[in-house]
Amino acid sequence: MTTPDYRLTQLETLEAESIHVIREVAAELERPVLLFSGGKDSIVMLELARKAFAPARIPFLVMHVDTGLNFPDVLEFRDKRVAELGVELVVASVPDAMARGLVKEEPNGSRNRIQTPVLLDAVEEHGFTALFGGARRDEDKARAKERVFSFRDEFGQWDPKNQRPELWDLYNGRIHLGESIRVFPLSNWTELDIWQYIAREGIEIPGLYLAQEREVVERQGMLYAVNEFVRPREGEPTFRETVRYRTVGDANLTAAVRSQATTVADVIAEIAVTRMTERGATRGDDKVSDAAMEDRKKEGYF
């Protein structure tokens, strides 16, 4: 008689931890919401939320802070996925906030920083007390500092020097009126874990993540696909290159990478050997300063 092997794989352990976190928030906090952009991390997080409460529906709303500069393919995927799951989507629109004077367009064309007031305005309007985010610690050094349960004060601000301890997977969700908790169920995942989970579960993703030949321009050593938000400047040459996206942020600031990965299996093989971080290879907005992400998070960013 053979003894069954009850040991969990790496992905099973991560999945169990994330589902535990999601259920803990649903049990502890009054009005959670899941931030869903249609990117790969939030796609996985939505799938974990589905599993956490199946066969019942996900018991909270999902929200997207739409900058007005998103890839159309990703927005189409976002709407399709929430319709399939029957969850209600709240869209906090940056262009609408600009029209009513809440925020102003920045000279550099980036809407990353002005997303924050729009996010905080939506949190106050809807009374959200917990926000699930898809951030992972391997993405950025500021994200590496943050706890799974990240306390935000009544202004939505984060203090990296004053964080709550998380011993033995015990999370402190106590808040006062106006305060909130950002929750990161994927904190301990890596980019490679995300792709291996997508492959294992057969999760659908936007086609931008897979390589195909696209017309691009090169700026500051990064390749930007020509689209409605990225137009060639005067005298700037364009050329065709086989590329894919590792992240899908704003279309005007998210660069593609040279790649021959046309399937999820190809992407896993590529990620397994790359020496460039995901955001370092693709995000022009993070090159403002070494502390760009931490500065934004202190102000209330995701």
Side-chain angles (χ1 to χ4, degrees), residues 122-176:
V123 169
E124 182 176 358
E125 178 187 350
H126 294 279
F128 295 132
T129 54
L131 287 77
F132 291 106
R136 310 184 318 268
R137 289 192 174 115
D138 75 325
E139 286 183 82
D140 181 273
K141 53 192 174 187
R143 288 182 164 165
K145 291 181 182 179
E146 203 157 14
R147 301 287 194 267
V148 176
F149 273 39
S150 182
F151 173 78
R152 303 302 173 100
D153 64 18
E154 64 270 35
F155 304 107
Q157 296 174 334
W158 175 59
D159 181 358
K161 295 181 180 177
N162 185 23
Q163 301 192 71
R164 296 174 173 181
E166 293 181 340
L167 304 176
W168 307 291
D169 294 335
L170 295 175
Y171 303 110
N172 183 350
R174 296 187 64 180
I175 55 173
H176 294 106

Side-chain angles (χ1 to χ4, degrees), residues 38-165:
K40 65 182 185 309
D41 299 312
S42 62
I43 290 171
V44 166
M45 202 162 54
L46 195 58
E47 174 64 13
L48 291 166
R50 185 195 67 78
K51 281 193 170 188
F53 304 104
R57 290 171 53 183
I58 296 172
F60 38 75
L61 306 180
V62 300
M63 180 168 70
H64 181 212
V65 180
D66 184 353
T67 62
L69 299 174
N70 298 104
F71 291 99
D73 295 7
V74 177
L75 294 182
E76 183 180 336
F77 181 89
R78 176 200 71 183
D79 294 341
K80 172 175 172 289
R81 190 63 187 134
V82 296
E84 288 171 349
L85 293 176
V87 291
E88 184 178 344
L89 172 68
V90 174
V91 177
S93 168
V94 172
D96 287 352
M98 291 167 63
R100 57 192 168 91
L102 177 65
V103 293
K104 293 181 179 178
E105 186 87 76
E106 299 211 321
N108 62 4
S110 171
R111 293 183 179 172
N112 258 338
R113 187 173 290 278
I114 62 174
Q115 284 184 78
T116 301
V118 180
L119 171 68
L120 298 180
D121 185 60
V123 169
E124 182 176 358
E125 178 187 350
H126 294 279
F128 295 132
T129 54
L131 287 77
F132 291 106
R136 310 184 318 268
R137 289 192 174 115
D138 75 325
E139 286 183 82
D140 181 273
K141 53 192 174 187
R143 288 182 164 165
K145 291 181 182 179
E146 203 157 14
R147 301 287 194 267
V148 176
F149 273 39
S150 182
F151 173 78
R152 303 302 173 100
D153 64 18
E154 64 270 35
F155 304 107
Q157 296 174 334
W158 175 59
D159 181 358
K161 295 181 180 177
N162 185 23
Q163 301 192 71
R164 296 174 173 181

